[in-house]
Amino acid sequence: NAGVTQTPKFRILKIGQSMTLQCTQDMNHNYMYWYRQDPGMGLKLIYYSVGAGITDKGEVPNGYNVSRSTTEDFPLRLELAAPSQTSVYFCASRHRGSDSGANVLTFGAGSRLTVL
Amino acid sequence: AQKVTQAQTEISVVEKEDVTLDCVYETRDTTYYLFWYKQPPSGELVFLIRRNSFDEQNEISGRYSWNFQKSTSSFNFTITASQVVDSAVYFCALSEAGYNFNKFYFGSGTKLNVKP
């Protein structure tokens, strides 16, 4: 089991460029999340998904888009990158249930994005 | 209103001291889950513990212990005989089991510095 895999790990973008952060999980989790973490700060929810074809906005969705065509993949797209989007992005997933691993958010390693 | 409050922004201790990280939560659900995550300087988010609202037993795992008190809506984390490797940011989190299960609320984190 790879868990939650994010690519790329690092990326530098110029203002106005677009890119997609990839996230895939192999645990068959229904729930997937994208968070951003600004330097020295906590986690802010960008978007989440409760299953394939269903997505919803979190606290800070502006400037981002997501899609969920399969259970495994939850890509995050940045349109027209701005310096304010310089951050570390974390993808996470979890499942609902009563087993020992249920409800726990499993995180990817993070993607560090710099917009210059 | 904040769902999860970690009032201690930063704590510094000397190695071998005991330290307690505070977490206060707010929910109207009767069934919910509480979590602690560790984020070491390397940046990944590591799951430490999950507690459900029906289990108020304190838990001990090595030098780590957790005190869950529903009466005060607190879920505090104590590290006994701290070590330099405990230096990290620690996040407390809440997930409600009802309608808002899709959400996952994080506190703002407490940065722990353990000095040799």
Side-chain angles (χ1 to χ4, degrees), chain A residues 61-72:
Chain A
N62 291 345
Y64 306 96
N65 274 304
V66 292
S67 59
R68 184 97 182 268
S69 55
T70 66
T71 299
E72 295 78 20

Side-chain angles (χ1 to χ4, degrees), chain A residues 35-97:
Chain A
Y35 288 90
R36 61 177 284 175
Q37 185 179 31
D38 299 335
M41 304 293 283
L43 296 156
K44 293 183 180 176
L45 180 63
I46 306 171
Y47 270 96
Y48 65 94
S49 169
V50 301
I54 307 170
T55 62
D56 207 348
K57 296 177 181 178
E59 303 170 74
V60 290
N62 291 345
Y64 306 96
N65 274 304
V66 292
S67 59
R68 184 97 182 268
S69 55
T70 66
T71 299
E72 295 78 20
D73 299 306
F74 190 40
L76 176 72
R77 182 148 180 89
L78 281 71
E79 306 281 2
L80 299 175
S84 60
Q85 293 178 304
T86 293
S87 192
V88 179
Y89 293 82
F90 288 99
C91 181
S93 72
R94 66 171 175 161
H95 71 280
R96 192 169 192 160

Side-chain angles (χ1 to χ4, degrees), chain A residues 24-41:
Chain A
T24 188
Q25 51 93 8
D26 62 357
M27 298 172 285
N28 202 33
H29 286 175
N30 281 338
Y31 297 83
M32 294 189 75
Y33 303 79
W34 274 106
Y35 288 90
R36 61 177 284 175
Q37 185 179 31
D38 299 335
M41 304 293 283

Side-chain angles (χ1 to χ4, degrees), chain A residues 31 33 35 37 41-43 48 50 90 94 96 99-100 102-105 107, chain B residues 33 35 37 39 43-45 47 50 91 95 97-98 101-104 106 108:
Chain A
Y31 297 83
Y33 303 79
Y35 288 90
Q37 185 179 31
M41 304 293 283
L43 296 156
Y48 65 94
V50 301
F90 288 99
R94 66 171 175 161
R96 192 169 192 160
D99 57 283
S100 62
N103 311 311
V104 175
L105 211 53
F107 284 90
Chain B
Y33 307 96
F35 307 82
Y37 283 82
Q39 187 174 41
E44 72 272 25
L45 284 148
F47 164 71
R50 178 197 74 177
F91 291 98
S95 173
F101 178 80
N102 46 326
K103 304 279 180 67
F104 201 94
F106 281 93
S108 53

